[in-house]
Amino acid sequence: MGESVRTLAYGAWPSPIDAALAAAHDGRPDDVGFVGDEVWWTAPRPTEGGRRALVRRHPDGTEEPVLPPPWNVRSRVIEYGGRPWAAVTTDAGPLVVFVNFADQRLYAYRPGGAEPRPLTPVSPVGGGLRWVEPQVRPERGEVWCVLEEFTGDGPTDVRRLPVAVPLDGSAADDRDRLRELTGARHRFVTGPRVSPDGRRAAWLAWDHPRMPWDGTELIVADIGPDGTFRDARTAAGGPEESVTQVDWAPDGALLYASDRTGWWNLYRDGSPLCDRDEEFGGPLWKLGQRWFAPLDSGVIAVLHGRGAAVLGILDPETGEVVDAAGPWTEFAPALAAHGERVAGVGASPHSGYEVVELDARTGRARVIGSLHEDVVDPAYYPRPEIRTFTGPDGRDIHAHLYPPHHPGCRAPEGTLPPYVIWAHGGPTTRSPLVLDLEIAYFTSRGIGVAEVNYGGSSGHGREYRNRLREQWGVVDVEDCAAVALALAEEGTADRRRLAVRGGSAGGWTSAASLATTDVYACGTVIYPILDLTGWGTGETHDFESQYLESLIGPYAEVPGRYAERSPAEHADRVTAPFLLLQGLDDVICPPVQCERFLARMAGRGVPHAYLTFEGEGHGFRRAETMVRALEAELSLYAQVFGLDPQGIPTLELTR
């Protein structure tokens, strides 16, 4: 292939990875579970209106959707959702209970039988009744799950608690038939985990203004003969201790992941099992995420690492962890266990997320679902580098570098590539080092990408996470800029052709970067937060409605800081061209944030574009949306950086 290498300018390299290909492979499997001996999971369907399908793997290895379109198995509890299905085997075959996204009702269904039948009623109040983390309990004729019930029309008029739903459908039109398992003591709760003897339940709870990675309580209660929870007491956690998952060992011991030492480590009845400076848990953005799963033999499947999450088997007796052999370097928090079998969702820098099964007895791991297939020659995939940069005050900044790469092209001698700094959302999360065709879309054309896990990101302990406390819009902006400038200084990137890009909290960082630094020639801002005062005083959903109390500071004490940090208040400082992308159904970062910002940009002559998408919420899911967004982003860079990508529609920039 070396003989046919062409010399072309960065940004003009022809690539087989087009926007449609990247969109078709967006998203990953999730919500893995065992149904008898079968493994089931949810999977994205960008070309089917962005729905999530429930998929089952038959014993012969074939995959089949459990439900046809338009059924969309996805919960809206805390808006980010969580585990939306559960199933049990019966003499008549599997019985599955799931949340349908369109109406958020809980349904029961037997594959191959009649249409799904609703189990829960519709409420006309506010956001209605929503459900997550269902657990089918056939011995009681019920489904136990978390109810999110709106009590008024406002986004914070809501209560959450564990509830029992009759399996016979008698509550489908009667709210009074729902049985509350305990009182609504806390603002947020996870689904109860029942002990092996059926006598106790354990769950997590927290209250405003804390987020679950700040501090949670592990609640344990007795289960009375009538199935209600009694004598609830706190077993672990607190205002500055985050317990991120709880479960029971086969012998009835209480297992949980706590960051009481500064790292999420595993505990058994309060005693540490593997005291390491690495994470065995993560930020609880969705209810039902699982970083560990106890097996029948007493060992525990775990996800662990620093800046990564690999699958291993922990022996509680010795504290030793043996990692699963295989190419996967990153696993999603979606573990499930059955006997000595473990199922999870793994990926690597060279492969997308796929469903993996590990036999804990033999150590053998294999792909069993959503198999990664190279849809183009892997020679076009990026070749990432793990880097640590030095930021202000000498602090470490973790990043993944994706240099431009094309097997058949090189740039003219003496030229440097443009680079786009990617700021992840959250902000309390991180960018995993996995194959992403959106990144390959740019790198295969000669545009570098740097994912910055700025201060405040998870995966590096609580101290690193806490760097963002009251410093959002400062530390994240500084860290991204430090990486961008370091790349330019070391001769990796063209100083004149740097861009910043991010969605949600990353959209905030991108916009704040354009408003407060002169580092970037342009930026892409996706469903962002732009006005802290509006967002923090009623313009967002309940889960994050007081997030700014820790990210910025208590509003009652530092209201001026909210205005001082907001890009919407400093639109006059934005001079670089930008692209705004927004879903019109977004209730987390609503369109009014963009509209307010644009109104203040009016007449300033800064080239920009604002693209909105009907039917899209927080996070684009439809293939046609993702295609339009990617092509628009590339066109922005082409116009600002003087690139010549082929076959890309020109984005019209207004002033």
Side-chain angles (χ1 to χ4, degrees):
M1 205 165 199
E3 296 178 358
S4 60
V5 172
R6 293 187 291 167
T7 299
L8 293 172
Y10 288 115
W13 300 350
S15 174
I17 303 172
D18 62 16
L21 189 68
H25 292 82
D26 188 76
R28 61 171 171 80
D30 205 350
D31 309 310
V32 179
F34 284 92
V35 182
D37 290 329
E38 295 182 3
V39 179
W40 293 25
W41 62 89
T42 64
R45 294 289 186 263
T47 58
E48 296 178 10
R51 78 179 184 112
R52 286 200 74 87
L54 182 59
V55 178
R56 67 186 293 188
R57 182 185 187 272
H58 291 283
D60 63 3
T62 58
E63 297 178 24
E64 178 189 20
V66 176
L67 294 152
W71 294 103
N72 187 353
V73 183
R74 180 179 157 214
S75 170
R76 282 188 62 183
V77 168
I78 67 169
E79 292 301 343
Y80 293 107
R83 188 174 180 84
W85 74 274
V88 293
T89 56
T90 69
D91 292 340
L95 171 64
V96 59
V97 173
F98 68 93
V99 179
N100 182 47
F101 181 73
D103 58 10
Q104 287 299 290
R105 299 176 83 182
L106 203 61
Y107 286 79
Y109 177 62
R110 291 191 182 276
E115 282 286 295
R117 55 185 177 85
L119 298 180
T120 56
V122 174
S123 169
V125 180
L129 305 178
R130 300 174 178 178
W131 308 90
V132 74
E133 285 199 84
Q135 301 170 45
V136 184
R137 305 196 64 79
E139 77 281 3
R140 291 187 176 273
E142 295 176 329
V143 184
W144 288 10
C145 42
V146 173
L147 164 65
E148 180 178 79
E149 181 174 23
F150 282 79
T151 57
D153 293 332
T156 60
D157 297 332
V158 64
R159 63 196 290 262
R160 301 176 185 88
L161 70 164
V163 165
V165 178
L167 267 172
D168 62 9
S170 57
D173 297 305
D174 187 355
R175 167 65 177 83
D176 292 337
R177 296 300 300 270
L178 301 174
R179 188 168 64 86
E180 299 185 1
L181 297 173
T182 188
R185 297 175 51 202
H186 295 279
R187 189 72 172 189
F188 302 95
V189 295
T190 64
R193 307 292 296 179
V194 178
S195 62
D197 62 9
R199 298 173 60 184
R200 290 176 294 166
W203 65 95
L204 306 180
W206 67 97
D207 295 288
H208 284 321
R210 286 178 289 161
M211 299 299 286
W213 41 87
D214 296 326
T216 57
E217 293 180 38
L218 194 172
I219 310 295
V220 177
D222 299 324
I223 301 176
D226 61 351
T228 57
F229 299 163
R230 303 176 177 180
D231 189 26
R233 59 267 187 198
T234 299
E240 293 293 327
E241 178 185 352
S242 169
V243 180
T244 196
Q245 185 190 332
V246 62
D247 212 326
W248 301 91
D251 63 0
L254 190 64
L255 303 172
Y256 58 91
S258 164
D259 73 346
R260 63 181 58 162
T261 65
W263 299 86
W264 275 304
N265 281 185
L266 277 187
Y267 294 82
R268 175 186 165 95
D269 286 338
S271 299
L273 292 180
C274 186
D275 187 4
R276 297 187 184 184
D277 287 352
E278 59 180 79
E279 305 285 33
F280 286 75
L284 190 67
W285 278 99
K286 295 182 178 182
L287 303 187
Q289 290 180 303
R290 301 194 74 196
W291 289 267
F292 70 86
L295 307 184
D296 287 352
S297 62
V299 300
I300 306 168
V302 296
L303 303 182
H304 71 107
R306 297 183 67 159
V310 297
L311 174 62
I313 298 295
L314 168 64
D315 184 342
E317 299 297 324
T318 65
E320 295 181 356
V321 179
V322 177
D323 289 338
W328 313 283
T329 56
E330 182 73 41
F331 276 80
L335 291 185
H338 176 59
E340 297 305 304
R341 297 166 62 195
V342 181
V345 179
S348 79
H350 316 292
S351 59
Y353 285 102
E354 46 197 1
V355 182
V356 176
E357 182 179 324
L358 169 67
D359 187 329
R361 295 165 298 187
T362 65
R364 179 173 177 261
R366 61 190 179 118
V367 178
I368 62 167
S370 293
L371 174 68
H372 168 80
E373 295 181 359
D374 291 319
V375 291
V376 297
D377 187 337
Y380 290 93
Y381 294 163
R383 298 178 177 178
E385 304 168 11
I386 299 175
R387 297 282 303 272
T388 302
F389 295 87
T390 301
D393 303 320
R395 63 179 182 251
D396 288 344
I397 307 169
H398 303 289
H400 302 147
L401 196 64
Y402 297 85
H405 175 73
H406 191 296
C409 292
R410 64 187 171 200
E413 289 290 334
T415 62
L416 293 175
Y419 258 81
V420 184
I421 303 299
W422 282 28
H424 62 69
T428 310
T429 181
R430 63 181 174 85
S431 295
L433 187 64
V434 301
L435 177 64
D436 184 339
L437 290 187
E438 282 198 9
I439 292 177
Y441 177 77
F442 294 104
T443 58
S444 62
R445 286 171 167 77
I447 301 172
V449 171
E451 293 182 316
V452 181
N453 283 315
Y454 48 80
S457 302
S458 58
H460 299 279
R462 188 173 187 118
E463 182 179 351
Y464 194 85
R465 230 166 51 234
N466 282 352
R467 286 184 187 177
L468 214 55
R469 283 198 172 182
E470 299 196 8
Q471 294 298 307
W472 197 37
V474 178
V475 166
D476 50 325
V477 170
E478 290 178 346
D479 285 3
C480 287
V483 171
L485 293 174
L487 293 175
E489 185 176 344
E490 71 184 26
T492 297
D494 185 340
R495 173 65 182 88
R496 299 165 302 169
R497 297 192 294 176
L498 297 172
V500 64
R501 173 258 216 206
S504 188
W508 153 269
T509 300
S510 299
S513 296
L514 295 178
T516 61
T517 78
D518 62 356
V519 173
Y520 308 102
C522 62
T524 300
V525 181
I526 310 169
Y527 37 84
I529 300 164
L530 296 169
D531 174 12
L532 294 176
T533 302
W535 196 81
T537 56
E539 284 182 0
T540 192
H541 63 142
D542 185 57
F543 177 58
E544 294 178 274
S545 62
Q546 296 187 36
Y547 197 3
L548 300 183
E549 295 286 297
S550 60
L551 288 176
I552 304 297
Y555 182 72
E557 299 175 15
V558 290
R561 191 183 295 168
Y562 283 61
E564 177 188 335
R565 301 244 185 108
S566 294
E569 294 289 338
H570 303 291
D572 59 307
R573 300 177 185 174
V574 177
T575 59
F578 63 88
L579 168 64
L580 264 178
L581 301 168
Q582 178 68 48
L584 293 178
D585 292 350
D586 194 338
V587 297
I588 296 173
C589 296
V592 67
Q593 291 269 312
C594 290
E595 293 161 4
R596 190 176 298 137
F597 175 73
L598 290 171
R600 294 169 182 173
M601 289 294 304
R604 296 200 49 249
V606 177
H608 67 275
Y610 180 43
L611 303 184
T612 60
F613 302 95
E614 293 276 358
E616 292 282 15
H618 198 68
F620 299 152
R621 295 174 180 272
R622 298 177 178 180
E624 58 270 26
T625 301
M626 291 183 275
V627 168
R628 179 74 176 104
L630 268 179
E631 291 181 342
E633 183 177 356
L634 180 56
S635 180
L636 172 71
Y637 303 149
Q639 294 179 59
V640 174
F641 295 154
L643 311 179
D644 186 26
Q646 300 299 309
I648 304 300
T650 299
L651 174 69
E652 182 178 349
L653 298 175
T654 60
R655 294 178 180 270

